[in-house]
Amino acid sequence: MINRLLHFLDASPVNFLAVKNIKDELLKAGYRQLDPRLPLGKIEKDDKFFVTKNDSSIYAFHIGRKTLADAGFHMICAHCDSPTFRIKPNAEMLCEGGIVKLNTEVYGGPIMSTWFDRPLTIAGRVILRTDNPLEPQTLLIHVQRPLLQISNLAIHFNRQVNDGVKLSRQKDMLPILGIINNQLEAGNLLINVIIDELNKQQKVRREDILDFDLYLADATPACTFGVHDEFISSGRLDDLSMCYAGVEALLATKQSDTTKVLAIFDNEETGSQTKQGAASPFLASVIKRIALAQSGTEEAFFQAVERAFMVSADNAHAWHPNYSEKYDPTNHPVLAGGPVIKFNAAQKYASDAASAAVFAEICRKAGVPCQRFVNHSDVAGGSTLGNILASSIPLRGVDMGNAILAMHSCRETGSVDDHLYCVKAFSQFFS
């Protein structure tokens, strides 16, 4: 199971590829893709289908033996985006000696220093011209070799580097792409790479490339480490590990009375305020359409919401042995301690005593340990999906996640045991 997770992490350097890989898993398991532009048609018991939005969010449904109005739905939601750097338009910057660097902008809130001096690559989507301007073609791209690097300034020119340095997003974080060999390559290095990669899929003309969404990604494979291989080291554990735990549980469990829903959103790292984010009404509209198809009345949707339960799965902060003063003295989860229920008095998390009790009991029935996280009262915490989604669908639910170290680093650290625990808990929930 851990090898499957590592493979998924390596194959999913950006949101678009994560969704594509989840889609492939669902299709292999007998799910069918529906086009939200068309009527859903008749919804039968045991139907398995999914829809996507923007190629970067995906919503899977396994219809239960009872209708949504009678049994509601059990939902696990997570997000497939992670902090990184987006390549700007007109990105190439020619420097002395023919060196070309790329102009980038920060996506989300990365720990920027962790991106220095490591092999990087690019991944994302490219938009191609068709006969219909409103329906361009999309091709995904993942350059599977080290392609770029953001290099540090030598300590000899920055003697204070180990005392802390303020980094400029515009100056310091621009990756080196290569050196031009001739004038024909000037201004064309990046587009040449894109065309070479796309030509592995289909023949592409330069003039047919309209635009792209391309991002930097760590080129070093995910791995386990530790004396007993007990830890996981990878980029994007937050939140792809929760996405994949949800997929594993969805596909491992059989039909139940209650409809199972797996919702993987985009843009959590930038606030979720997009058509493919958790604040979008898109998921609510799809669930409403399912309820209408089953019962012929909008009332069925509102009944389903009142019977539903949501698990908002977004990773939590593990206790760091070098920085214990940053953590709450009595509520600091540890690696390999099991799934973490997250609480916040300012309501940044959806958990309350009632919903936390539900999830803790699910863990108990699954034979899985369970932990709790509350921020140190002098340290501000982040927000996540639960309450944002609840603003469009007023769901009862809990915010939880596995404990990880170095959240938002280029490489984060998690626990092998925690992933196995989480899949067991999610499977119990879906069952």
Side-chain angles (χ1 to χ4, degrees), residues 348-369:
K348 289 187 176 181
Y349 303 133
S351 311
D352 57 24
S355 63
V358 170
F359 189 76
E361 187 65 6
I362 287 167
C363 289
R364 187 192 67 79
K365 291 189 72 174
V368 166

Side-chain angles (χ1 to χ4, degrees), residues 189-206:
L189 274 191
L190 178 60
I191 197 69
N192 288 344
V193 170
I194 292 171
I195 291 172
D196 287 346
E197 289 296 318
L198 294 181
N199 281 338
K200 296 175 183 177
Q201 304 177 48
Q202 68 179 54
K203 189 66 177 174
V204 171
R205 298 182 306 172
R206 182 182 302 250

Side-chain angles (χ1 to χ4, degrees), residues 111-267:
I111 305 175
M112 295 195 296
S113 61
T114 63
W115 287 76
F116 282 121
D117 304 320
R118 64 172 66 242
L120 304 173
T121 188
I122 61 172
R125 66 178 177 179
V126 180
I127 310 301
L128 303 178
R129 176 179 286 112
T130 66
D131 292 335
N132 183 356
L134 292 176
E135 298 289 343
Q137 183 185 7
T138 298
L139 289 181
L140 302 185
I141 181 174
H142 178 194
V143 180
Q144 297 191 18
R145 65 180 177 91
L147 186 66
L148 316 102
Q149 184 166 292
I150 305 172
S151 291
N152 251 308
L153 182 64
I155 194 170
H156 310 79
F157 301 128
N158 188 5
R159 297 289 182 179
Q160 290 75 45
V161 65
N162 292 323
D163 300 325
V165 173
K166 183 174 177 57
L167 296 173
S168 163
R169 297 180 173 207
Q170 185 60 68
K171 176 181 173 59
D172 298 311
M173 306 310 299
L174 305 186
I176 297 170
L177 176 63
I179 299 175
I180 60 170
N181 289 322
N182 54 61
Q183 282 305 111
L184 290 176
E185 287 188 332
N188 293 310
L189 274 191
L190 178 60
I191 197 69
N192 288 344
V193 170
I194 292 171
I195 291 172
D196 287 346
E197 289 296 318
L198 294 181
N199 281 338
K200 296 175 183 177
Q201 304 177 48
Q202 68 179 54
K203 189 66 177 174
V204 171
R205 298 182 306 172
R206 182 182 302 250
E207 59 267 27
D208 287 336
I209 295 176
L210 299 175
D211 214 330
F212 55 73
D213 291 311
L214 294 178
Y215 299 85
L216 306 189
D218 185 11
T220 307
C223 65
T224 55
F225 73 98
V227 172
H228 310 292
D229 277 327
E230 62 266 57
F231 303 118
I232 301 170
S233 172
S234 175
R236 307 173 305 283
L237 284 176
D238 175 31
D239 195 34
L240 290 186
S241 60
M242 292 292 95
C243 294
Y244 199 67
V247 171
E248 293 265 39
L250 181 69
L251 301 186
T253 51
K254 299 178 181 178
Q255 184 196 29
S256 64
D257 286 346
T258 305
T259 292
K260 298 182 291 182
V261 182
L262 177 66
I264 306 299
F265 296 101
D266 192 10
N267 303 132

Side-chain angles (χ1 to χ4, degrees), residues 238 314-320 326-327 331-335 340 342 349 371-375 379-383 401-408:
D238 175 31
D314 196 357
N315 281 310
H317 297 294
W319 177 79
H320 195 304
K326 294 292 185 180
Y327 297 83
N331 296 281
H332 46 265
V334 296
L335 291 168
V340 179
K342 302 190 288 187
Y349 303 133
Q371 307 182 86
R372 284 162 171 78
F373 171 82
V374 183
N375 279 302
V379 179
S383 58
N402 278 343
I404 65 171
L405 292 173
M407 187 179 289
H408 289 200

Side-chain angles (χ1 to χ4, degrees), residues 7 23 30 54 59 72 83 90 94 119 128 142-143 153 207 214 221 229 255 281 283 293 329 336 347 353 381 387 430:
H7 175 75
K23 174 180 167 180
N54 189 53
Y59 313 88
N90 306 311
L94 183 60
L128 303 178
H142 178 194
V143 180
L153 182 64
E207 59 267 27
L214 294 178
D229 277 327
Q255 184 196 29
L283 177 59
Q347 302 301 302
N387 279 341
F430 273 150

